[in-house]
Amino acid sequence: MTSLDPTPDAGTPTYPPAPWTMDGQLWLSLFRVGHDVDERRPRGVYGVALVSYEEPSPLTYSELLVARVVKDPVKAVSITDIWVDSPASVAGGRGLWAIPKELADFRRTSERGTVRERTSWSVDVDGRPVVRARFTDASHVVPRVRFKGATWQPPIDDHRDPVTATLTGSAKAAPCRSAWEVAPDGPLGWLAGARRLASFRQTGFRMTFG
Ligand SMILES: CC(=O)CC(=O)O
């Protein structure tokens, strides 16, 4: 895998060139936020996902992201908040696609029975909780389905214009049970009172992004 140094500055982590073909697993819940939070976070439905990017992905890391669907100027998902535990992923996400990644600490434990799997996640920033979440699912027994979509991100850092990126892939996907605790005084405190609508798990996804 070749790497790109996004700027001539020493100190910026190198990252793989786009597109990234990523393998992993994902846990997603949809929440309805009943009030406008700020300009980037109007009232509406938000997806909150925990993702584990695994071998043979060109970068392996854990991720917490919050996103909503936008229709203008394109129909796409726009990520409002995102943390990962890989400095190279932060640099690549920001440099290639204007995805506003920051660093956090992640812990995940999983227990698999004959059919069901139970997974717990915790995410902290600077030693302070952001979210805790628990899931129970059986997605590893369902057939694989294809998905495709796009992200649209307003400019950050050195970007002058919004950035759109496409994604296509497949995964075993099924509804799951979830329980979330969002730290009310943490960076996602604006989600703390939101109503959970549904939860899904993707096992064994492979997607090409960008
Ligand atoms: C390719 C990516 O940037 C995926 C992600 O980390 O959100």
Side-chain angles (χ1 to χ4, degrees), residues 76-209:
V77 164
S78 193
I79 297 167
T80 57
D81 304 86
I82 180 166
W83 292 268
V84 295
D85 58 2
S86 155
S89 172
V90 170
R94 299 185 79 98
L96 294 169
W97 305 298
I99 296 176
K101 292 182 179 179
E102 297 182 35
L103 284 173
D105 297 311
F106 291 76
R107 263 178 302 143
R108 175 168 62 95
T109 57
S110 288
E111 263 173 55
R112 189 182 277 188
T114 22
V115 177
R116 281 197 204 128
E117 185 168 0
R118 291 194 169 79
T119 308
S120 301
W121 283 88
S122 65
V123 185
D124 295 351
V125 171
D126 295 332
R128 304 187 58 168
V130 181
V131 293
R132 305 281 182 262
R134 282 176 285 121
F135 302 89
T136 306
D137 79 290
S139 60
H140 63 105
V141 299
V142 306
R144 178 167 285 274
V145 291
R146 291 186 179 282
F147 58 82
K148 69 176 181 179
T151 58
W152 177 90
Q153 296 300 135
I156 56 168
D157 304 338
D158 293 337
H159 293 279
R160 291 283 161 263
D161 297 306
V163 182
T164 301
T166 57
L167 64 94
T168 56
S170 70
K172 296 181 172 199
C176 71
R177 294 215 316 251
S178 73
W180 288 80
E181 289 162 46
V182 179
D185 54 352
L188 291 184
W190 57 276
L191 275 173
R195 188 155 66 87
R196 194 174 66 250
L197 303 174
S199 301
F200 305 89
R201 163 94 191 266
Q202 283 191 351
T203 314
F205 73 69
R206 166 159 273 223
M207 84 168 171
T208 299
F209 182 81

